Amino acid sequence: MLSCKPTKHVPQHKFLLKNVKIECDNKDIDINELENYIKQKPNTRILNMFRFHLFIYNLSNSGKDRKWKNKFKNVIGEEPVIYEEYQTKKTLKQFKLYLKNRAYYNSTIDDTTIFKRKQATILYRISANEPFKINKIEYKIQDTAIKKILLADTLNSLLKKGILFDTEILQEERSRISNVLKNNGYYYFSKKFVDFLADSLSNSKQINLVVNIHENQQINSENQIVFSKHKKYKIKDVCFYTDYDQTKALNQKEEYFKNFDTISIEGVNFAYQNSLKITPDVIFNANYLVPDQFFSLINVSETNKRLAALQVFKIINIQFIPLEDITENYLNCKIYLSPTVSQSYTVEGELTSSSGYIGFGGNLMYKHNNLFKGAEIFNLKLLGSAESQSTVEDNPQNEKGFIPNTIEYGFETKLFLPKFLIPFNNLKNYRKFKPKTSLSLAYHYQNRPDYTRTIRNASFGYYWKGDSYTENLINPIEINSIKLSDATEEFLDYLDTLYIKSSYETQFISSTNYSYIFNNQNVKKSTDFNFFRLNTEVAGNLLTLSNLILNTKKDEDYYQVLNSRYAQYFKFDIDFRHYNYINPKNIIIYRGFFGIGIPYGNSESIPFVKKYFSGGANSVRGWRVRSLGPGSYIDSSNVPNLSADIKLEANLELRFDMFWIIKGAIFLDFGNIWALSEKTDNRIGASFEFDRFYKEIAVGTGIGLRFDFGFFVFRSDLGIKVRDPMEIENKWIIGNREYSSQDFMLNVGVGYPF
């Protein structure tokens, strides 16, 4: 029998490092930061519990030697971490250094190692004691011009009276001072010219701090140190090389640049060979480096970011060449731009399986990053799917009604322009918002056993950045035309009995929608961040107003446009997510969603395409898409096309690294949809009631695998029903009845669920 005991391969008289614990009496000290200084860490644990990699190593070393076992061990396995005392002492020194740097100069640390059953546990106990704090701040600046700039900016200083004497804050302040001066023309200034003198008051934990800004130092011809004031630099010439080839430039050197032609816009030059691959105006609008202005690091950064946002350049290299003039100090600016591949293709696929129902679909996407040589981004998506469905007239007890005949296909096109179009095309200084104008056109065709539906969509809108964390999207005009045809009599009778027929009728939708997005993620650091999205939409108001002004007669009880009843409604939803990094290999995501759609005026219900649904790969994953709810309603027709006016959802997902490119996930999903009231939807148990809705929350759990290839993520989730609001007797499945195949749902797709 194979033995996978953790200590199986630990040498005699040695100990497996089981755990390292840190206890501290001061909550202001970050234990997670201290953990980064541990010199010897235990074997990797999945979910902070199971030493999976050590288990694989021990398993592979058990029994007969095999090539496949060695391969498995080398790829996934992890050798046992053997306790070493000197590593503990090194960690102790690192902790003390860390605490001193954080102003805790009088801290004490005790370490204890507990040995038990060939395993060692190390415990570090930290007594922080009273930290040193800044009592007074004084500046010593000999250069009066620099002194004027910095003293005017002390409000933004990181150094404040009463804060901890933290060396990390001092280093950040050095960088901040350097950046302030670089943004005011001091091209050569760096943080090496900034240092601090700390004087501790006797018998106290107070520090008097002196900030020194040194002058420039040079060695003259006589080998003597000469001090001089720092120089301010202006930009003289700005030249963009719009189709720069780095390989040719290295091989041909000066000869390469002789073949460039040049045009100029407001003093900014654009050099190119043969022909311009992108309109110079587009580059000019992304540029913040202007001739005869002082050098600014912010302008360099903004230019780089704006050029990158165009998505047409793979390399952006901004260089400055100093020119010493008798009266002024100048910099020539050269910006080398290497175009990226303008066209690309992507293929996506999705597979779902539950209770014998199988569905599959795919998307073929084409992207052009520079369609009309103006950095216009054109996206074309061809989509198609097929799924086995039951018809309305089928009896759930009769398997003969099962017909695999649901087909959907269509296309979506989007064009993004890197500017505002009418009426904002003449708006000055708008480029700081990274503006885009979007135009879209889409067509969807769906053929089901019960009906055929076609949806045509066209929209026009704007996108802009608010600040580093916020985005805004508004579509002043979005038009949807929905046509229902070939509906079976059974399906129409089914809708009539539920009073939701108006949701499926042929309709015309003219709406305006707005989205606000907040995302404070720092892609360079694995730190907690939040994501928030708000969507609002109104439809039909302008059409109703025009009908009232023109005194248009109603057809029956409603107005029409293009021989179709138009929709009138208000829709609002919010999506909030918090990403909590436990450590670099484990993250918990908390998500909450609420949405509501309210019909009024010309509509009895909001259109089907605007209603909410639940279940599926990005929702409550124990249910098929559109198969959950509304409320506790039991759908005897078995039509997986359920929708309603209100949606409430919450998700909790733990993601963890496993090995190679494979990551794991454990999730818990809650949610459901509801109708606004029994007046508009008489499905039993479908309406939202404050004294009942919480009893109708569906609960699902499951596990998942993510294959992270860097440029895309392939995902597989197995969802399991835990609590089903459609159960009559006991809604909790677990512990009350045996599980069947209908209680499991397999989702396969691309990308993370949220």
Side-chain angles (χ1 to χ4, degrees), residues 552-659:
T552 305
K553 293 184 178 180
K554 293 183 177 181
D555 183 8
E556 298 181 6
D557 294 327
Y558 53 83
Y559 295 110
Q560 287 191 341
V561 60
L562 299 176
N563 297 319
S564 297
R565 182 177 188 172
Y566 66 83
Q568 192 170 14
Y569 61 86
F570 168 76
K571 190 178 179 183
F572 168 87
D573 53 62
I574 55 175
D575 185 351
F576 175 78
R577 310 167 196 173
H578 176 69
Y579 296 76
N580 172 223
Y581 280 86
I582 303 172
N583 54 51
K585 294 185 177 182
N586 295 271
I587 178 175
I588 298 179
I589 299 93
Y590 306 86
R591 174 179 177 262
F593 180 93
F594 170 76
I596 184 170
I598 304 173
Y600 60 91
N602 209 52
S603 293
E604 296 176 358
S605 64
I606 62 175
F608 175 79
V609 294
K610 297 295 182 178
K611 284 180 174 287
Y612 295 104
F613 61 88
S614 192
N618 302 312
S619 181
V620 184
R621 283 161 279 188
W623 279 257
R624 299 172 63 205
V625 64
R626 298 182 182 274
S627 68
L628 175 58
S632 56
Y633 170 69
I634 300 174
D635 183 23
S636 59
S637 68
N638 202 28
V639 178
N641 213 21
L642 302 169
S643 60
D645 312 307
I646 300 172
K647 181 176 181 177
L648 189 62
E649 201 165 275
N651 308 85
L652 177 66
E653 180 166 302
L654 171 62
R655 297 173 188 167
F656 50 90
D657 291 356
M658 294 184 67
F659 56 90

Side-chain angles (χ1 to χ4, degrees), residues 177 355 366 458 504 528 634:
I177 290 173
S355 308
Y366 166 77
Y504 288 82
D528 293 5
I634 300 174

Side-chain angles (χ1 to χ4, degrees), residues 291-306:
D292 209 37
Q293 286 191 358
F294 281 110
F295 169 83
S296 170
L297 197 62
I298 288 178
N299 290 341
V300 176
S301 176
E302 287 299 314
T303 299
N304 202 322
K305 286 192 290 187
R306 296 298 188 270

Side-chain angles (χ1 to χ4, degrees), residues 413-424:
T413 62
K414 290 185 179 182
L415 179 64
F416 296 95
L417 309 174
K419 58 183 177 181
F420 285 142
L421 290 185
I422 54 174
F424 306 115

